[in-house]
Amino acid sequence: MTDKESRSLAPGMRLDELLSELQTRLSAVLATRDRVHALLEAVVSVGSDLDLETVLRRIVETATTLVDASYGALGVVGEDRTLMQFVPVGLSEEEIAAIEHWPHGLGLLGLLIKEPQTLRLSRISDHPESYGFPPGHPPMGSFLGVPVRVREEIFGNLYLTEKRGGEEFDEEDEAIVVALATAAGVAIENARLYEETRRRETWLQASAEVTTSLLSGAGPDEVLTLIARQARQMTDADLAQVLLPDEGGKTLRVEIAEGPGADPLQETAFPIEESAAGAVFSRGEPSIYGNLQDLPYPRSPLRASGFGPGLLVPLGAAQAVSGVLVLAKKPGRAPFTQADLRMLAAFAGQAAIALELAEARKDAERLGLLEDRDRIAKDLHDVVIQRLFAVAMTLMSTVRLVERPEASSRLQHAINELDETIRQVRSTIFALQTSGHDAAPGLRAQIVDLVEGARGHLGFMPGLRMEGSLDNQVPAEIAEHLLAVLREALSNIVRHAKATKADVSVEAADERLTLVVRDNGVGLPPDGRRSGLRNLAERAELLGGSFEITAGQAGGTRLRWSIPL
C-alpha cells in the first residue's frame, strides 16, 4: 500500500474508533440513566406505604432487584445491639423451614452492627469475621452490606448476597444501595411516625371504650375481655390473656383468652414459681421476650404453646399486683417494642382499676344488703313485735271477761299462737342481723342443713324452731358441741325410733343454750346400748351443763341438752 493510500485510510479508522468509543459511552450513559430511573422508581415505591413491616420487606425486594442479587435481608438492630428482627427475601418457604435458626447478630452480621459502614466482599467465607451459616442455610458467596440510618441512628443493616451470573458487586452497585438505604431511612421514619400516631389513636379509643364500660357498671369479666381484645389489636398480637391468681395463691389461671386458637388455653395454669408470668406477678415488673421458646422455665405454658415474641405486663402496682396481661405473637413475626411496653403498662393500669372497681362494687352491694337487713330487723322489732305484743296483752286481759269456757279456750289458744309468732319474728330479726351471704355459714344455717339432711333418711321433714341470737351469742367451740349433739340425736331417731314425726328446738336465752329434740317413736328400749347418749351427757358435763332424755307425754322420747353461755 502506498503512502498516499495509507494517509487516506487513517482518518476513517480514527473516526471508527471515536464512534465506537462514543457508542460505548452512550451505552454507559443509557445504562446509568436506566439505573437512575430504576432507583428513583424504587425510592418512590419504598415510600409509598406506611405499614412498617410492608416498608421493610419492600426495601429488601427493591434492593435485590436494583443490584440483581439472589438473596437479600434487612436486620433490625435492637437496644442490646443484637438482631431484633430479620426480614429475608429470596428464600422459599421450604428453605426457610429448613434453616435451624435465624441469625443472632454474630460473625459478619455482628461486625456490621458494631461497625456500621458499607462492606463489599467477593466471598463471605474469606472474611476473618465470617461465622458461617446456620444448619439448613443455602450457600452464599458475594456480599454487600449497607447500614440503614434513621435520624443518624442505626436502625439496621441491609444485606445482599449472590449477585446473579456469578459476578461480584461493584462500586456502582454499592452507590445505588447506599442511596436506597438513605431513602429507606426516610421511609422507615415516616412509617414509624405513622405507626406511633395510629397506636396513640387506637390507645385513646380503647381507653375511652374501657372507661365507658367501667362507668356503665359492666362486670369484671366483660371489662377484662374488652381490655384483652383491645390490647391484642393495639400491639397486633396473635394472643392476649388475662391471668389471675387462684385461691391458693400458687398458680395463675387464665381468666380471659383472646385470639385465634385461644380456646384450648382457657384451662391453662401458670405456676407462679416456675413461669415467666409468675415472675412478672411476683416482681411487679413487665418483661419483653424476643422468643418465648427461649424462656428459662421448662414448665411455662407460654414456652410449650409454640409462640414467638412475648410481652408480659403486671396488672397493678408493684406492691398490689392483681394479675398479669400476656401478649404473644407467632414465630417469625416482629417482636414487641419498648413503645408497646409503655403503652400496655398504662393500659394494664385500667385493667387493675377494673378489678378494684368490681371488688368495690361488690363491697358496696354487700353493705347495701346489710343495711337493708338491719333496717328490716329494726322495723320488725320496733313496729311489728310491739303491735303483736299489744294485741296479746289485750287478749290476755279479755280472757277474764269471757264466761264461756269454749271462748276462753280459743282466746288462750290465740294468745299462745301470738307468743309463738313473736318468738319466730324475734328469731327472724336475729337472723337478719347476722353477716351477709358471702360470709361463712353461721350456726343457724348449719342447724338448718343438719335438719334438712335428715329428711331423706327419716322420710319426713322434722319441725324446726330457733330462738335467740344463735349466730352472735354462741361461741364457735360451743356451736361445734351443739351440732355434734343434734347430729347424734337425729341419727338415733333414724336408726331406732321408727318415728313419723320429730321436732327440733334450739334456744339461746337467759345466758343458756338449750336443745330439745322430740319424736313420736317407740321410745327408749330398757336394755338398749347407751354409748351415744353417754357421749351427749359427757359433752354437757364438760361445758357445765345438763343432759336428760325422757319419755314423751304422747309417746316417743324427749331429749334436752342445755349448757350455760
Side-chain angles (χ1 to χ4, degrees), residues 86 98-104 109 131-139:
F86 199 73
I99 299 175
E100 185 173 299
H101 61 81
W102 286 119
H104 299 300
L109 304 188
Y131 192 77
F133 298 103
H137 198 287

Side-chain angles (χ1 to χ4, degrees), residues 498-516:
K498 299 179 181 180
T500 60
K501 182 181 178 182
D503 293 291
V504 176
S505 172
V506 184
E507 180 181 3
D510 300 328
E511 301 296 329
R512 291 194 73 84
L513 175 65
T514 303
L515 168 67
V516 177

Side-chain angles (χ1 to χ4, degrees), residues 440-452:
L443 179 57
R444 285 176 171 271
Q446 295 180 72
I447 292 172
V448 171
D449 288 341
L450 275 179
V451 173
E452 289 184 347

Side-chain angles (χ1 to χ4, degrees), residues 383-403:
V383 179
V384 177
I385 283 187
Q386 299 305 322
R387 296 188 66 176
L388 290 174
F389 188 73
V391 172
M393 294 294 293
T394 302
L395 292 177
M396 288 178 64
S397 63
T398 307
V399 171
R400 294 190 299 269
L401 304 176
V402 178
E403 297 180 355

Side-chain angles (χ1 to χ4, degrees), residues 453-514:
R455 178 180 187 177
H457 301 287
L458 291 171
F460 59 88
M461 181 65 187
L464 175 62
R465 184 174 69 87
M466 293 182 288
E467 188 172 349
S469 182
L470 297 176
D471 289 330
N472 297 332
Q473 195 173 350
V474 180
E477 182 182 356
I478 295 179
E480 289 295 328
H481 285 284
L482 174 71
L483 293 173
V485 172
L486 176 58
R487 189 178 296 110
E488 178 67 24
L490 292 173
S491 176
N492 287 337
I493 296 175
V494 171
R495 291 181 294 173
H496 308 299
K498 299 179 181 180
T500 60
K501 182 181 178 182
D503 293 291
V504 176
S505 172
V506 184
E507 180 181 3
D510 300 328
E511 301 296 329
R512 291 194 73 84
L513 175 65
T514 303

